[in-house]
Amino acid sequence: MKKIELLAPAGDLNRLKLALIYGADAVYIGGKEFSLRSHASNFSLKDIKKGVDFAHKLEKKVYVTCNIIMHNDNLNNLEKYLKKLDNIKVDGIITSSLAMIKLIKSQTRMEAHLSTQISCLNSEVINFFSRYNIDRVVLARECSLNDIKQITKLSEKEIEVFIHGGMCSSYSGKCMLSNVMTRRDANRGGCAHSCRWKYDFVKNGKVISKENEYFSFASKDLCALDYIVDLIQAGVSSLKIEGRMKSANYLCAIISSYRHLIDDYYNHQSLDMKLYHNLMSLGENRHVGKGFFEGNVTIKEQELILSDKFVNAGDFIGIVKSYNKNKKLATIELKNKIINNASYLLLTPKQNPQIIKISRIIYQNQEYEQYTIANHLIRIKCDTTLKPYDIIHKLINFE
Amino acid sequence: MNFVFTKIKTKNAIIKVPSSKSYTIRALFCAFLSGLPCEVNNICRGEDVDATLKCLRKLGAKFALYKTKVKFFGFSKITNKKIVLNVKGSATLFRFIIPVVLIYYPNQDIYFYVDNNLLKRPLDGYQDLFEDNKIIFKQMNGYYVLNGEIAKQEIRVDGSKSSQFVSGLLLSLVNYHKPITLKIINLKESRNYVLMTLKMMEKFGVKLELNETIYFNNLNYLATNVEIEGDYANATLLMILALLSNRITLKGLNFNSLQGEQEVKKILCKAGASLKEKENELIIKKSSLNGLKVDLENCIDLGPCLMAYALNLKTPSRFYHYSRLKYKESNRLDVMLNIFKKIGAKYVLTDQYLEIIPSKIFFVGVLDSYNDHRIVMALIILSLINKGKIEISNFQAINKSFPNLPQLISKMGFRLKENSRPFVLTGVSVLDNFQIPSDGYVLGYEKFTSFAGKKFTFHEIQELSFKYNIFLQLNALVKQNEIQDLSIEIEKLSTLPISFIVQDIGMLNILLKKVSASRIIFNPYTLICNKLDANEFSSYGLLCVGLSNEITLNDLYQISLVCPSFLSIFSYAPMYQSYRQNIKLYKNYYSKSFLNNNLKIKERTRTENYPILENEHGTVIFRDYITNYLENIEYLENFKYVYLDSLFIKPTVLKNVAILLSNYFKNKLSLEEFKRKINNLGLNLQDGFMYQDSIYREKKL
């Protein structure tokens, strides 16, 4: 059986590289055109090419999302753009447009993946699109584990399932809240997250909800760690992590967690769920739930009861750029305050997290007891051998 | 040209039947062949007759054409000029004119242009004539060339191919310069057409008996004035319309006519029709008939109209000798049977007969005439019988014999109009909504409807479907574990004469397997925003494709030009659809027990109240205003269907809006008045996204 694909998002070239190094088998990215997530710093063609070359060297893949619901004005240059992506050897396109699928399959060598924007909830949707030779279908997030098992059994197409990250409260592609209330079209990348706002119930012109009992119908993020084995056994082809706008730290932690689980499963190792959850906690910045895997959501999956979003502010210290073995000095790109003589957690692509201690902080030949300016390249002394792309994280006590 | 036939309000009418095309063409040939001053009165104007006159003029006829009369002055032979004849789509003309040309213009190249839809080998019956006389008849690229002369003293013709070959020779051999013999073999069916030819020749002074061998010796056409009698095949359409609706009085028919189609009177009377001959008038009253027994041998042109009519009779009808239907302007047998299959009508075809079983017909969509005027007529009858709405494409074929049909039947209270306005569908939230004038009604179903004005049970829908044109709003999104149940429901619903409006693509896929695509409107609300995608979905032959309420008026207009489109033009449009039971979860969490009816939500910093619904399919939130496209109705003419929703809209308001729209479409209300009256209804009407596109690409943060 083909090993399941772990598919991760990437908002820029740096995160693309990190995602692949930390264990994603493929990444999906947005181009400057036709892509949702207008806030995500989308890729220019030049960057896409760099990303594709990087991925292909590692025998990994790059998919480009072209998943906006196109209006007439968006149709210009569509074919040209797709051909350009084909020329730079992009592996596949994620789209919700029937017309685009037809173009991809007739004019390019790329794969066509049906976006979740279509709300594919059943095998008949796949049957409909099979006429167009699509290669893969991204299922709607509303599918239960049983639905996924059945659909996978009935479908000859590759099935991709969301396993982690943000959940729309509405069926994807069907939500006009943001568009109606703020003129920002979620289907073209402008979502204002109106589902997270506070609402009151009104009857006969009178508000009937109490001040502290507001109505919000946003969803908690999804975490499918407990369902990965089921999904592998169901014959799902790809496991997708959401979040093209998420930080490098978040990505690496989440990818790493799923990577360990998947590899352990395929290597017939015993599964250390605690470790995977611990790894994940390094990246989590929002509360998570089970989504629809068990059927319709319960109150535990609703954000209604948790207005205080917790954010791991300051947990991500920096990324290692290089390491001098003789001097035991590492150059790191700093993200948050670092303190001398403190212990930190080291996250690496391959090994389990370990504790490291640092004993010097140097910026431009000057020693510091602490340093705070983000994005500066500083040097730190650390006896443990560090490698490029290693992540230094605030020390936390795992449960 | 696509036309739609509708019943406005039927009334008693006195109608002069259009005259016989067959007699008109025969009379024109006789008048021409006489070479003398003659008058042909009350001619049947139409494409075939017009083509005949043009060809005769090319051959040297001198005449003046009036509205319904041709005055011939004589003949002068054409010299030094290439003769090019365009017989258009008239097989009669083509076959009549060949021997005339051979006699008048022997041994010179004569060129013929023929419409594509004329049969592939239109001159088979003259094979013996051509071979015996070494006449060259060649098909070139797009035209024919004829060259030769009649040399033999005996001509053989095979009447089994068509009586028109026999008639053509009878007409022309009169003027052959020497005595000549015509041997007719195999003349069985359509013998009466030959008798009609002889009858007309007799009026012009040439008296011949129809035998297997006919001698032509020293015969001459005389100068004559003739009056063309009414056409029974065309009258048949009017008779059936009368039997189905109201009394008419037909004038201009010859009760002792030789037209085979006059048999229609007997056929209908035997089945119980009330037909009265009174002096020169035939009076037909509305009646309900038993099945017909029709022998088409001598009245083949009655076929399509009577076949269509047979669907609405009390018992099955049988048609004998149907095979010649294949050799008319279209293969009328195949065309009619295909139409029957498409609309779900039942029939049995054996070698001996075609049996048509009365069937309740519900069909919405386009049916093609195959450019055959008799099929147009059959489709008009089907339109009257049908519960749905038929659009007749290639309606212009009617011009062949009955160009003034729309004007004539408007006297009976029917309307035949080019389809240039959208069909209007109206949502039903209370049974009273069925009183609203509408081309169709949109109902929810007890299962697989997420939101609709009102949900109905299968039996209620079944009952309503025979009275009204029903569109079932199956707008739920379907989970995998519901697919089996859905298939069963669709199997059940597919037997009803209804159409479907669906959102889920999986549901669309199941429906495409069970019912004709022309019964499906695919309306995925937010999904179809550009012409390429719209076109791609419509390529399945769907009745139409529902466009998003979130694109600009200009985009809507552009898409409606390229694909049959559907739009909610007056509705509280949904803006959030979720599988989550949001209200229930909230109520459980805070231990609340308020009812969900008339529930709205309000964002804390805003004033708008948004209607919210919840059921087993999940939660739906709607806009706080009616997205009103009526303000721009003139830009929506190309839409195929527009929808007036009933959800959250008071039945009285909906009724007012629908009546205003209906009056506007009937030209009873000017555009300005219509808009003014809509705005005076005092509703929260807004433009939505008609003018302002969304801001979707913000500056990079």
Side-chain angles (χ1 to χ4, degrees):
Chain A
M1 201 171 75
K2 208 176 148 192
K3 195 171 175 182
I4 204 162
E5 175 186 272
L6 181 60
L7 175 57
D12 56 31
L13 200 52
N14 184 39
R15 277 176 278 175
L16 177 146
K17 290 177 181 172
L18 276 171
L20 293 173
I21 286 167
Y22 273 78
D25 300 304
V27 289
Y28 62 98
I29 60 176
K32 296 270 182 211
E33 313 284 332
F34 307 107
S35 173
L36 289 182
R37 304 284 173 269
S38 60
H39 295 310
S41 37
N42 286 337
F43 284 65
S44 66
L45 277 170
K46 219 167 136 188
D47 280 351
I48 296 177
K49 186 173 176 345
K50 282 183 193 163
V52 170
D53 290 346
F54 183 87
H56 285 180
K57 261 182 213 152
L58 299 171
E59 295 184 345
K60 297 185 174 200
K61 292 181 176 173
V62 175
Y63 309 129
V64 173
T65 53
C66 294
N67 55 352
I68 63 164
I69 307 279
M70 294 186 292
H71 291 201
N72 277 344
D73 289 348
N74 304 119
L75 297 173
N76 303 332
N77 298 324
L78 173 61
E79 191 174 337
K80 243 192 210 163
Y81 184 67
L82 290 173
K83 283 184 171 165
K84 281 183 190 161
L85 293 178
D86 189 29
N87 280 339
I88 57 177
K89 303 219 160 47
V90 166
D91 295 282
I93 301 291
I94 304 166
T95 176
S96 57
S97 157
L98 201 50
M100 200 188 301
I101 290 171
K102 230 179 156 183
L103 273 178
I104 294 164
K105 295 315 289 181
S106 64
Q107 304 295 322
T108 81
R109 294 155 294 183
M110 299 183 288
E111 290 186 1
H113 296 186
L114 188 65
S115 164
T116 194
Q117 289 284 95
I118 283 289
S119 287
C120 176
L121 290 157
N122 59 63
S123 51
E124 289 289 344
V125 177
I126 303 176
N127 291 344
F128 180 88
F129 282 98
S130 290
R131 299 183 178 95
Y132 295 84
N133 283 325
I134 47 160
D135 299 278
R136 181 184 289 185
V137 175
V138 186
L139 294 187
R141 278 171 265 211
E142 285 78 4
C143 290
S144 71
L145 185 59
N146 278 334
D147 290 340
I148 294 168
K149 282 180 183 168
Q150 266 208 52
I151 294 171
T152 311
K153 210 161 112 188
L154 291 169
S155 164
E156 288 166 8
K157 301 295 171 189
E158 291 185 359
I159 300 295
E160 182 174 306
V161 174
F162 273 97
I163 54 166
H164 201 94
M167 296 274 278
C168 281
S169 173
S170 168
Y171 284 109
S172 284
K174 303 283 181 195
C175 186
M176 287 295 141
L177 289 175
S178 168
N179 206 2
V180 171
M181 294 166 81
T182 70
R183 291 269 163 183
R184 287 168 55 177
D185 184 357
N187 281 348
R188 289 191 290 174
C191 181
H193 302 289
S194 308
C195 60
R196 295 191 185 146
W197 299 345
K198 294 177 178 176
Y199 295 81
D200 285 315
F201 281 110
V202 177
K203 251 192 150 171
N204 304 320
K206 279 186 189 150
V207 171
I208 57 168
S209 21
K210 288 184 190 157
E211 176 65 28
N212 58 346
E213 293 176 353
Y214 64 84
F215 175 58
S216 170
F217 41 95
S219 172
K220 276 192 210 166
D221 276 16
L222 170 69
C223 171
L225 258 185
D226 297 338
Y227 301 96
I228 297 304
V229 173
D230 295 299
L231 293 172
I232 294 172
Q233 288 173 348
V236 167
S237 298
S238 178
L239 302 174
K240 183 176 214 161
I241 297 166
E242 183 274 347
R244 275 189 278 144
M245 285 140 71
K246 295 279 167 60
S247 71
N249 176 60
Y250 171 91
L251 268 183
C252 294
I254 305 296
I255 293 170
S256 192
S257 167
Y258 285 106
R259 181 77 273 159
H260 276 86
L261 169 52
I262 294 167
D263 286 351
D264 288 349
Y265 174 81
Y266 279 96
N267 294 332
H268 308 290
Q269 310 261 330
S270 59
L271 302 183
D272 184 355
M273 294 311 288
K274 200 171 167 188
L275 168 74
Y276 315 137
H277 278 288
N278 283 340
L279 269 172
M280 191 161 279
S281 68
L282 297 176
E284 261 171 15
N285 58 0
R286 285 216 294 258
H287 287 284
V288 293
K290 293 173 178 175
F292 290 86
F293 280 111
E294 303 281 355
N296 208 340
V297 292
T298 66
I299 194 73
K300 287 181 186 165
E301 279 75 41
Q302 297 283 82
E303 240 182 33
L304 182 60
I305 55 171
L306 285 160
S307 56
D308 54 332
K309 288 170 202 155
F310 78 90
V311 178
N312 297 354
D315 287 358
F316 176 27
I317 307 299
I319 299 176
V320 177
K321 292 291 179 183
S322 61
Y323 184 72
N324 184 324
K325 272 186 187 166
N326 297 330
K327 295 181 180 166
K328 297 191 189 297
L329 280 178
T331 304
I332 66 167
E333 185 182 314
L334 195 68
K335 292 295 174 188
N336 276 300
K337 187 168 88 175
I338 190 165
I339 300 168
N340 197 13
N341 291 319
S343 291
Y344 288 95
L345 201 63
L346 181 70
L347 185 62
T348 70
K350 294 275 149 58
Q351 281 111 27
N352 292 347
Q354 52 182 307
I355 297 170
I356 55 165
K357 202 175 169 195
I358 64 161
S359 50
R360 284 174 76 191
I361 300 172
I362 307 161
Y363 181 67
Q364 293 185 340
N365 296 325
Q366 203 166 336
E367 301 272 342
Y368 289 84
E369 276 313 296
Q370 60 174 47
Y371 198 82
T372 51
I373 303 170
N375 294 332
H376 275 184
L377 288 176
I378 61 167
R379 282 185 296 162
I380 55 168
K381 183 157 189 228
C382 176
D383 291 344
T384 313
T385 303
L386 304 179
K387 285 198 260 345
Y389 300 111
D390 284 355
I391 284 176
I392 297 167
H393 195 278
K394 198 167 135 187
L395 189 61
I396 55 168
N397 291 322
F398 287 143
E399 284 160 27
Chain B
M1 276 200 285
N2 288 16
F3 270 61
V4 175
F5 174 90
T6 37
K7 186 161 95 177
I8 310 293
K9 193 176 180 211
T10 58
K11 45 196 171 191
N12 295 346
I14 301 170
I15 289 177
K16 184 155 184 268
V17 176
S19 41
S20 157
K21 186 181 68 161
S22 304
Y23 270 131
T24 303
I25 293 176
R26 283 161 173 78
L28 295 175
F29 268 88
C30 289
F32 165 77
L33 291 164
S34 77
L36 300 167
C38 297
E39 263 185 46
V40 183
N41 293 300
N42 193 33
I43 62 164
C44 159
R45 289 300 298 269
E47 282 169 359
D48 284 9
V49 169
D50 287 350
T52 304
L53 286 167
K54 277 184 188 149
C55 286
L56 293 178
R57 203 190 284 278
K58 289 261 178 78
L59 292 181
K62 300 283 171 214
F63 61 81
L65 173 62
Y66 302 86
K67 202 174 167 195
T68 58
K69 174 169 93 172
V70 190
K71 225 171 164 174
F72 282 83
F73 305 114
F75 164 78
S76 80
K77 191 164 174 165
I78 306 294
T79 49
N80 306 325
K81 209 172 161 188
K82 202 162 117 179
I83 296 180
V84 182
L85 303 172
N86 189 346
V87 301
K88 298 263 179 103
S90 174
T92 313
L93 169 59
F94 198 18
R95 289 154 178 179
F96 282 12
I97 211 162
I98 292 279
V100 173
V101 167
L102 290 170
I103 291 169
Y104 278 61
Y105 297 94
N107 299 319
Q108 78 178 69
D109 281 347
I110 311 289
Y111 301 86
F112 291 92
Y113 282 90
V114 173
D115 281 359
N116 285 334
N117 61 339
L118 248 187
L119 306 170
K120 285 224 172 69
R121 289 151 66 205
L123 296 184
D124 272 11
Y126 285 145
Q127 204 176 338
D128 291 338
L129 171 75
F130 291 164
E131 280 173 13
D132 293 350
N133 293 284
K134 299 194 172 63
I135 292 162
I136 299 161
F137 180 73
K138 282 184 296 191
Q139 182 169 7
M140 313 298 282
N141 190 17
Y143 60 96
Y144 295 92
V145 183
L146 177 77
N147 191 325
E149 65 171 331
I150 295 175
K152 299 264 174 168
Q153 301 307 300
E154 186 182 294
I155 304 293
R156 295 182 298 142
V157 65
D158 182 350
S160 70
K161 303 284 183 192
S162 162
S163 67
Q164 289 163 348
F165 298 108
V166 180
S167 288
L169 286 164
L170 285 171
L171 284 163
S172 55
L173 291 179
V174 171
N175 281 5
Y176 191 61
H177 59 280
K178 284 191 281 192
I180 191 164
T181 307
L182 178 65
K183 292 232 168 185
I184 305 166
I185 54 164
N186 294 330
L187 181 65
K188 286 183 199 125
E189 295 176 13
S190 303
R191 188 184 167 87
N192 61 304
Y193 280 102
V194 179
L195 292 174
M196 284 167 66
T197 307
L198 293 173
K199 180 86 182 173
M200 188 51 71
M201 289 166 70
E202 191 182 334
K203 286 193 179 178
F204 280 84
V206 175
K207 202 167 158 63
L208 289 170
E209 294 279 325
L210 181 54
N211 295 313
E212 283 183 11
T213 306
I214 299 175
Y215 300 101
F216 292 81
N217 190 7
N218 205 16
L219 296 170
N220 282 305
Y221 286 107
L222 304 177
T224 313
N225 293 349
V226 290
E227 178 94 13
I228 305 297
E229 64 184 56
D231 181 77
Y232 272 97
N234 286 351
T236 300
L237 169 64
L238 301 172
M239 289 180 201
I240 294 172
L241 292 180
L243 288 168
L244 287 168
S245 61
N246 219 328
R247 199 174 99 131
I248 57 166
T249 305
L250 296 179
K251 286 177 130 179
L253 289 169
N254 174 1
F255 295 142
N256 301 310
S257 174
L258 284 175
Q259 295 178 50
E261 282 73 19
Q262 81 146 332
E263 189 71 16
V264 70
K265 288 182 291 183
K266 274 188 208 156
I267 294 170
L268 293 175
C269 284
K270 267 190 192 159
S274 161
L275 261 63
K276 245 190 230 158
E277 286 178 10
K278 195 176 142 197
E279 291 166 23
N280 295 324
E281 297 174 347
L282 183 66
I283 299 159
I284 301 123
K285 280 189 201 153
K286 181 176 179 180
S287 26
S288 176
L289 269 60
N290 292 317
L292 310 174
K293 194 179 163 199
V294 186
D295 184 348
L296 290 169
E297 181 165 8
N298 282 314
C299 52
I300 198 75
D301 280 349
L302 295 180
C305 278
L306 292 181
M307 284 161 74
Y309 182 43
L311 292 173
N312 197 50
L313 303 178
K314 288 188 265 187
T315 54
S317 301
R318 281 192 182 178
F319 294 78
Y320 299 87
H321 289 105
Y322 57 76
S323 62
R324 282 170 70 99
L325 283 167
K326 292 179 189 170
Y327 308 110
K328 303 300 289 187
E329 280 84 340
S330 66
N331 180 337
R332 286 178 184 162
L333 183 67
D334 283 3
V335 169
M336 286 304 292
L337 295 187
N338 276 336
I339 289 171
F340 280 14
K341 276 180 210 151
K342 222 171 169 181
I343 63 177
K346 298 184 194 90
Y347 63 86
V348 180
L349 187 65
T350 73
D351 288 346
Q352 282 77 43
Y353 58 81
L354 165 67
E355 181 168 275
I356 294 175
I357 296 145
S359 327
K360 283 212 164 105
I361 302 302
F362 174 90
F363 178 83
V364 177
V366 183
L367 291 174
D368 192 7
S369 76
Y370 291 81
N371 246 322
D372 184 335
H373 60 142
R374 299 278 170 226
I375 302 296
V376 174
M377 294 179 199
L379 290 176
I380 287 170
I381 293 166
L382 281 183
S383 301
L384 187 55
I385 295 172
N386 181 33
K387 289 261 172 280
K389 196 139 213 170
I390 293 174
E391 225 177 287
I392 305 171
S393 69
N394 285 313
F395 179 83
Q396 69 282 359
I398 199 69
N399 294 333
K400 193 176 175 81
S401 67
F402 210 156
N404 64 340
L405 177 68
Q407 293 86 315
L408 269 191
I409 62 170
S410 71
K411 286 189 196 168
M412 299 172 70
F414 297 114
R415 184 174 65 183
L416 261 170
K417 213 180 138 226
E418 195 162 3
N419 195 26
S420 65
R421 71 156 175 95
F423 293 116
V424 180
L425 301 181
T426 309
V428 175
S429 55
V430 291
L431 289 175
D432 253 8
N433 286 153
F434 285 111
Q435 306 308 316
I436 295 173
S438 184
D439 297 308
Y441 300 90
V442 176
L443 314 185
Y445 184 45
E446 56 188 343
K447 285 179 173 177
F448 298 107
T449 295
S450 166
F451 51 95
K454 183 172 163 65
K455 297 181 186 180
F456 291 79
T457 66
F458 180 81
H459 292 290
E460 287 169 330
I461 292 165
Q462 187 171 36
E463 213 156 277
L464 291 164
S465 69
F466 291 113
K467 271 195 236 160
Y468 306 105
N469 191 5
I470 301 294
F471 289 73
L472 213 53
Q473 170 110 308
L474 299 180
N475 55 4
L477 292 166
V478 186
K479 308 294 301 280
Q480 179 64 30
N481 61 13
E482 298 171 312
I483 283 289
Q484 209 176 352
D485 189 24
L486 174 66
S487 298
I488 294 167
E489 290 301 326
I490 286 181
E491 188 77 57
K492 225 162 77 180
L493 291 167
S494 68
T495 61
L496 298 182
I498 57 173
S499 303
F500 302 88
I501 308 176
V502 301
Q503 170 170 218
D504 188 281
I505 298 177
M507 196 189 293
L508 171 67
N509 200 51
I510 296 176
L511 267 171
L512 282 171
K513 288 182 254 178
K514 305 277 184 194
V515 305
S516 155
S518 66
R519 282 167 65 187
I520 309 170
I521 295 176
F522 175 52
N523 181 33
Y525 295 96
T526 55
L527 202 61
I528 297 187
C529 296
N530 67 67
K531 51 190 174 189
L532 289 186
D533 283 319
N535 234 340
E536 198 52 51
F537 277 105
S538 110
S539 71
Y540 285 85
L542 300 179
L543 184 55
C544 43
V545 171
L547 306 189
S548 162
N549 279 126
E550 291 81 30
I551 55 180
T552 61
L553 193 61
N554 185 42
D555 279 352
L556 289 169
Y557 174 77
Q558 297 295 340
I559 300 172
S560 74
L561 289 180
V562 297
C563 130
S565 308
F566 167 94
L567 185 69
S568 288
I569 57 167
F570 194 80
S571 72
Y572 286 95
M575 59 173 184
Y576 168 94
Q577 294 187 58
S578 175
Y579 183 45
R580 292 161 200 273
Q581 305 280 316
N582 288 306
I583 305 176
K584 196 169 142 195
L585 291 174
Y586 174 91
K587 285 204 282 198
N588 285 347
Y589 186 67
Y590 287 117
S591 306
K592 301 283 172 193
S593 58
F594 57 82
L595 296 174
N596 289 1
N597 61 324
N598 295 324
L599 195 61
K600 294 180 178 176
I601 58 168
K602 175 183 155 316
E603 197 272 324
R604 287 197 162 170
T605 64
R606 286 159 211 263
T607 54
E608 293 88 357
N609 292 336
Y610 307 107
I612 184 167
L613 285 184
E614 189 167 295
N615 57 35
E616 72 274 21
H617 301 289
T619 316
V620 189
I621 304 172
F622 300 82
R623 274 156 236 200
D624 63 306
Y625 56 83
I626 294 174
T627 312
N628 171 37
Y629 292 85
L630 296 171
E631 187 63 35
N632 293 295
I633 192 71
E634 67 269 38
Y635 298 102
L636 305 178
E637 273 193 355
N638 298 307
F639 273 80
K640 196 151 171 195
Y641 281 86
V642 292
Y643 176 40
L644 305 174
D645 201 347
S646 61
L647 190 57
F648 310 123
I649 296 173
K650 279 187 191 148
T652 48
V653 170
L654 185 63
K655 190 173 180 179
N656 283 337
V657 170
I659 290 172
L660 290 174
L661 184 61
S662 158
N663 285 340
Y664 164 67
F665 281 141
K666 283 180 187 160
N667 297 322
K668 285 186 190 168
L669 211 56
S670 74
L671 186 60
E672 292 70 33
E673 239 180 310
F674 168 67
K675 289 182 183 178
R676 192 174 51 75
K677 290 194 169 176
I678 292 289
N679 283 317
N680 285 349
L681 292 172
L683 303 165
N684 183 8
L685 305 177
Q686 292 194 26
D687 297 325
F689 293 85
M690 267 173 260
Y691 303 108
Q692 191 187 346
D693 206 355
S694 304
I695 307 154
Y696 62 93
R697 203 166 281 279
E698 292 209 327
K699 277 189 187 145
K700 247 191 189 175
L701 293 174

